[in-house]
């Protein structure tokens, strides 16, 4: 029998130092890499498909990053006839805006409120889409599952104006709950205007609006788990809870870690419209978060450099949280959002 020679890639992990291949393994063949022109000719359809999304990301996400430079200026948009001329004529003050920001008690009030709301929602909101996805995945009737998914997805498409109006109609002073309690001779609860329970109120609103939408990723992850694992575990006598603990949750763990890291990176962005709409009802001390702080103390007053400093601070903190959470994920054996090759 004639054996054709095989070309083995130099430095391949499947090749021994002496050049031989381990027994029972096929040598790895490295194909020559196509030229850039050949790859563009081959993949032009895919490139054309992703170009609109890339342009939107570039224009609305990366180009605005250049505007962070006004955080180091006493920026005045009226110094020139266009934004570029105003930027060139504005005075550079270094970290002066940050010094004013860190000396402002209103900023630290907004920062504390943001952290408190983020922590509360991370504990009481983040696990609920996982539980709901597991419950929907275990429904035997596909028609019932589709109906429940439609019902819980629908509030995601409502605006925050409609969501807050719905809660006012249900829980407000003249709402359905208050009227029912008055008819029963009870004192109505102060829900919509109570600063002490505002954190519970905004979490309930976010829960009603987005818990169904948050199940989409987890349902997709559940569909990738091999069903033979459940059948084998059931044949070995494992009950429903043991299958959940040893098969379902390990299958969801990479997705849970990834979304948790991304949530931590967005920890200082708890929302804008939801808090702006309810600010007057509960007061600034309870409802002011960093996004509304930037609006009231920067955009509304024309002090754009001050708001840019607050936004840049928020972005740096988010980046540090992502890097720290990803490092912890690597220490626990998870891939995270990126890993070193």
């Amino acid at each position: 029998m004639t054996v054709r020679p095989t070309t083995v890639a130099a430095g391949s992990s499947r090749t021994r130092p002496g050049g031989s291949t381990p027994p029972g393994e096929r040598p790895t063949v490295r194909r020559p890499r196509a030229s850039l022109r050949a790859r563009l000719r081959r993949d032009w359809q895919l490139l054309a498909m992703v170009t609109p999304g890339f342009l939107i990301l570039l224009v609305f996400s990366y180009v605005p990053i250049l505007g962070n430079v006004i955080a180091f200026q006493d920026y005045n948009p009226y110094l020139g006839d266009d934004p570029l001329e105003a930027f060139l004529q504005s005075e550079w003050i270094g970290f002066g805006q940050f010094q004013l920001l860190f000396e402002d008690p209103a900023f630290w009030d907004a920062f504390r409120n943001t952290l408190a709301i983020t922590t509360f929602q991370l504990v009481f909101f983040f696990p609920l889409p996982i539980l709901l996805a597991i419950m929907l995945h275990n429904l035997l009737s596909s028609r019932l599952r589709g109906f429940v998914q439609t019902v819980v997805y629908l509030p995601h498409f409502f605006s925050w104006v409609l969501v807050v109006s719905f809660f006012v109609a249900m829980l407000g002073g003249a709402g359905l709950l208050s009227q029912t309690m008055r008819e029963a001779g009870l004192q109505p609860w102060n829900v919509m205007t109570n600063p002490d329970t505002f954190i519970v109120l905004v979490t309930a609103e976010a829960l009603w609006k987005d818990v169904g939408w948050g199940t989409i990723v987890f349902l997709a992850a559940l569909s990738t788990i091999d069903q033979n694992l459940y059948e084998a575990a059931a044949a070995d006598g494992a009950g429903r809870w043991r299958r959940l603990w040893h098969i379902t949750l390990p299958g969801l763990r990479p997705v849970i870690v990834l979304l948790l890291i991304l949530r931590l990176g967005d920890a200082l962005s708890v929302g804008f419209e939801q808090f702006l709409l309810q600010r007057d009802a509960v007061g600034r001390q309870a409802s002011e978060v960093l996004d509304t702080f930037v609006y009231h103390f920067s955009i509304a007053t024309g002090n754009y450099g001050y708001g840019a400093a607050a936004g840049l601070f928020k972005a740096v903190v988010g980046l540090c949280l992502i890097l720290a959470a990803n490092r912890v994920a690597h220490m626990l054996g998870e891939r995270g959002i990126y890993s070193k090759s």
Side-chain angles (χ1 to χ4, degrees), residues 44-227:
W44 70 269
Q45 296 95 336
L46 298 176
L47 295 175
M49 183 178 65
V50 302
T51 297
F54 172 75
L55 291 177
I56 292 175
L57 185 67
L58 179 67
V59 172
F60 292 100
S61 297
Y62 286 97
V63 172
I65 294 178
L66 301 176
N68 285 324
V69 71
I70 68 174
F72 305 95
Q73 286 184 308
D74 185 13
Y75 181 74
N76 187 350
Y78 305 106
L79 288 179
D81 297 330
D82 54 72
L84 179 59
E85 188 175 351
F87 164 73
L88 295 176
Q89 296 183 14
S90 296
E91 180 185 0
W92 291 88
I93 59 175
F95 291 94
Q97 300 284 13
F98 293 93
Q99 183 178 357
L100 294 176
L101 185 70
F102 296 150
E103 293 176 353
D104 191 349
F107 168 75
W108 291 113
D109 290 339
F111 183 73
R112 282 190 293 268
N113 288 339
T114 304
L115 286 183
I117 293 172
T118 294
T119 304
F120 191 85
Q121 292 186 353
L122 196 64
V123 175
F124 295 100
F125 178 83
F126 184 79
L128 293 182
I130 305 173
L131 299 177
L132 181 59
I134 294 174
M135 293 172 61
L136 290 175
H137 184 72
N138 291 331
L139 286 178
L140 298 179
S141 174
S142 59
R143 297 182 62 179
L144 179 60
R145 185 189 306 120
F147 173 76
V148 174
Q149 285 178 306
T150 302
V151 171
V152 297
Y153 289 174
L154 187 61
H156 172 77
F157 301 98
F158 297 162
S159 67
W160 275 115
V161 175
L162 185 58
V163 172
V164 173
S165 300
F166 173 80
F167 272 79
V168 169
M170 293 293 104
L171 305 177
L176 180 62
L177 177 62
S178 298
Q179 293 179 6
T180 304
M181 295 183 69
R182 288 192 187 98
E183 292 175 357
L186 302 175
Q187 181 68 24
W189 294 339
N190 182 16
V191 178
M192 299 300 298
T193 59
N194 188 357
D196 297 330
T197 59
F198 180 72
I199 188 172
V200 180
L201 174 64
V202 294
T203 303
E205 294 170 349
L207 183 66
W208 183 74
K209 187 176 188 295
D210 288 327
V211 68
W213 188 257
T215 62
I216 293 178
V217 176
F218 298 108
L219 285 172
L222 286 170
S223 64
T224 62
I225 300 177
D226 190 359
Q227 296 300 316

